[in-house]
């Protein structure tokens, strides 16, 4: 796990020396991603930089950027290839000779052997770039679910790319400007969805995509990303499987995915929230490794915000080496650091918890296994069930012409996609209609619901839950959850691994008809029923079947207390109002209603607060690092105690 940066230029004005200096400055922004080593390679019109977090083959010989022995290929790579040992054996059978034990070298020899077919052979999480000196081609690829980020931008005749947006901002020719169409979508989602970032001209290489830049490509003729994988479709031949057959095969495949993710040359542990997914991970890990598992949980010392008692139950059952941490309201002090680490507008408040916990975990392990992806792959969210109910009503003709409740549709009756959008939207259409100022009003007629896949319109009761999950695999999972995991863990220099997102396991799960993943249990329709059924012999009824809680952060309280004054000052400031995003009257109305306790606008106000702090951190200043401001009244160092 590491951080990467790269430059490709067609400009004669960019000398090797200038490129080397810029690469160092760019890679300095992501020092946290790789504290174990760094490297810069420059040759002609191409340069790579790398920050290393050593996980496999800790020897200096595995440092990057790495080249083949004949120096024809050079790679900079972030991630882990879990099947690298199998690929290595295949390549040795083809006559390839290896100098290291690293998965990085497998990428070099694999590209030489298989070319652009390489990504489809990889099992893991990755973002990498390979320079082919002979063909003068730059090849880039990103893993299937988007666990590892990769952003890029053309600055004149120069292409810059890297693991994080903040690195690209340091290129001398990059113009810092907000992309208002993306800000429009951020208002609804709380993150920036899809290919475009919040910085004008900066894009993401999408999950499961690769891109080949040839000599003829440039800013006016850019290379086009190409998809190399899609999640498997439902296989009707599996409809006759029994629950017991499905559960047995799931556990067999899940254990294989886990075993692959337990390969490391450094200490390893597991996140344990007390929820079904992380508890299943720990329970199955306990049957694979001999020594006690190091597990970690976190909660707020506030009623309704703490699941650590359930984590403790699982830890005691499997005799793990467990550490539990408590947070208090002073966690809010870390907000400027969070804004800086994420680099884009991002308002998932649990990011503060994930980051703080990651820093604590780093004192004990370098790799942590998590339950990320279980809800999307095995159909766990309650909103999926609400969507199913609504589809059933629509197909029965009971709601055929009625606008979706709270869809606030100014465009006529809501579509099925609009109805799903209301479950996840922060600012809905009516909020935007009332509140948008001149800067964003032109974007109002492009509903943010259109960012969701169109296949949500083609649903029936027997696939509504499956389709909702597939939509989130393309949106919420890569652009919110996995970004959060990557940034939080990398901020603390640890590696997070997600067995549920092993693509072979995920393909198999996705191929199961909906009724094999969600079915009645104990007299009611149970979300994620296959996983729970499979784990019944190993986890208690209380762990498996209590109401799903998730980790909540007391944003509403913070806004009315610790950061009330700061929030009011920032969102009524001259700079915020002059941006023209929202009408001043609308902002004042929201603040008044929330501060007085008459209504709860916490998520919307938090959305705007994070947006404003992003503006001030990245667009109004050029200094690297978080904004030097005090958010709350107590020191951040007291935000968590063991």
């Amino acid at each position: 796990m590491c951080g990467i940066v790269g430059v490709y230029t067609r400009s004669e004005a960019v000398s090797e020396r200038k490129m080397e200096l810029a690469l160092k400055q760019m890679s300095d922004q992501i020092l946290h991603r790789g504290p174990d080593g760094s490297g810069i390679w420059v040759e002609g019109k191409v340069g790579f930089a790398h920050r290393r977090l050593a996980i496999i083959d800790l020897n200096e010989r595995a440092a990057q950027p790495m080249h083949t022995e004949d120096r024809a290929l050079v790679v900079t790579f972030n991630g882990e290839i879990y099947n690298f040992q199998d690929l290595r054996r295949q390549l040795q059978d083809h006559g390839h000779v290896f100098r290291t034990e690293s998965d990085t070298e497998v990428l070099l020899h694999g590209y030489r052997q298989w070319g652009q077919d390489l990504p489809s052979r990889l099992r893991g999480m990755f973002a990498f770039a390979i320079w082919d000196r002979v063909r003068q081609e730059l090849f880039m690829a990103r893993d299937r679910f988007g666990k590892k980020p990769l952003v890029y931008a053309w600055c004149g005749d120069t292409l810059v790319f890297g693991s994080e947006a903040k690195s690209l901002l340091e290129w001398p020719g990059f113009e810092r400007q907000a992309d208002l169409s993306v800000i429009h979508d951020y208002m609804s989602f709380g993150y920036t969805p899809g290919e475009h970032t919040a910085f004008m001209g900066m894009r993401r290489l999408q999950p499961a995509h690769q891109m080949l830049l040839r000599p003829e490509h440039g800013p006016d003729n850019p290379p086009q990303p190409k998809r190399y994988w899609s999640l498997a479709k439902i296989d009707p031949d599996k409809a006759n499987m029994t629950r017991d057959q499905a559960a047995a095969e799931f556990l067999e495949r899940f254990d294989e995915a886990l075993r692959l993710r337990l390969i490391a040359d450094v200490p390893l542990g597991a996140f344990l929230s007390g929820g079904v997914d992380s508890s299943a991970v720990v329970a199955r890990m306990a049957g694979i490794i001999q020594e006690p598992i190091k597990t970690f949980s976190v909660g707020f010392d506030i009623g309704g915000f703490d699941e650590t008692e359930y984590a403790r139950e699982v830890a005691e059952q499997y005799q793990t080496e467990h550490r539990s941490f408590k947070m208090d309201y002073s966690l809010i002090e870390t907000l400027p650091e969070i804004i800086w680490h994420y680099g884009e507008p991002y308002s998932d408040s649990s990011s503060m918890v994930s980051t703080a916990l990651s820093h604590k975990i780093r004192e004990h392990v370098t790799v942590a296994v998590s339950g990320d992806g279980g809800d999307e792959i095995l159909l766990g969210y309650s909103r999926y069930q609400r969507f199913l109910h609504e589809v059933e009503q629509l197909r029965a003709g009971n709601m055929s012409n009625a606008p979706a409740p709270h869809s606030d549709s100014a465009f006529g009756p809501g579509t099925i996609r609009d109805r799903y959008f209301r479950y996840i939207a922060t600012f809905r259409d009516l909020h935007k209609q009332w509140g948008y100022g001149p800067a964003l009003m032109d974007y109002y007629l492009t509903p943010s619901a259109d960012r969701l896949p169109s296949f949500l319109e083609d649903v029936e009761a027997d696939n509504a839950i499956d389709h909702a999950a597939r939509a989130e695999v393309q949106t919420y999972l890569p652009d919110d959850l996995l970004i959060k995991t990557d940034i939080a863990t990398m901020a603390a220099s640890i590696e997070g691994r997600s067995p549920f997102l092993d693509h072979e396991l995920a393909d198999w799960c996705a191929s199961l008809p909906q009724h094999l993943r969600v079915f009645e249990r104990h007299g009611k329709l149970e979300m994620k029923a296959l996983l729970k059924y499979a784990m019944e012999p190993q986890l208690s009824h209380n762990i498996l079947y209590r109401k799903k809680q998730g980790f909540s952060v007391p944003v509403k309280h913070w806004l009315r207390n610790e950061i009330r004054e700061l929030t009011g000052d920032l969102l009524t400031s001259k700079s915020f109002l002059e941006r023209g995003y929202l009408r001043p009257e609308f902002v004042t109305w929201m603040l008044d209603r929330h501060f007085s306790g008459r209504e709860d606008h916490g998520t919307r106000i938090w959305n705007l607060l994070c947006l404003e702090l992003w503006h001030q951190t990245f667009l109004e200043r050029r200094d690297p690092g978080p904004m030097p401001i005090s958010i709350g009244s107590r020191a951040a160092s007291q935000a968590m105690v063991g």
Side-chain angles (χ1 to χ4, degrees), residues 437-505:
L440 293 179
M441 185 54 72
D442 287 347
Y443 300 95
Y444 170 67
L445 294 178
T446 304
S448 292
D450 290 353
R451 303 294 295 174
L452 298 175
S454 60
F455 60 68
L456 277 176
E457 294 298 328
D458 184 28
V459 296
E460 301 294 339
D462 64 352
N463 64 17
I465 294 175
D466 174 78
H467 277 43
R470 288 174 187 273
E472 296 203 354
V473 165
Q474 296 182 21
T475 53
Y476 177 65
L477 179 66
D479 295 331
D480 187 331
L481 289 187
L482 296 183
I483 285 291
K484 176 174 63 179
T485 298
D486 175 78
I487 296 296
T489 54
M490 287 286 91
S493 302
I494 69 171
E495 175 175 298
R497 297 181 175 179
S498 311
F500 284 108
L501 294 178
D502 178 276
H503 81 274
E504 292 191 9
L505 173 65

Side-chain angles (χ1 to χ4, degrees), residues 65-137:
M66 182 184 289
H67 54 77
T68 52
E69 193 166 355
D70 62 2
R71 309 187 75 87
L73 299 174
V74 186
V75 66
T76 186
F77 160 54
N78 171 29
E80 296 291 342
I81 308 302
Y82 300 123
N83 65 334
F84 80 98
Q85 293 170 329
D86 179 54
L87 294 175
R88 179 190 176 98
R89 286 189 290 269
Q90 294 179 40
L91 290 164
Q92 286 173 327
D93 289 343
H94 284 289
H96 293 263
V97 178
F98 287 80
R99 297 173 295 158
T100 76
E101 300 298 322
S102 71
D103 52 352
T104 306
E105 192 177 8
V106 168
L107 294 179
L108 287 169
H109 290 282
Y111 189 70
R112 172 166 281 171
Q113 181 68 35
W114 299 307
Q116 294 182 60
D117 290 336
L118 173 63
S120 64
R121 294 174 178 265
L122 303 177
R123 193 171 179 178
M125 52 182 177
F126 53 85
F128 65 84
I130 294 177
W131 174 246
D132 186 328
R133 292 179 63 210
V134 177
R135 293 186 174 89
Q136 295 287 287
E137 293 176 347

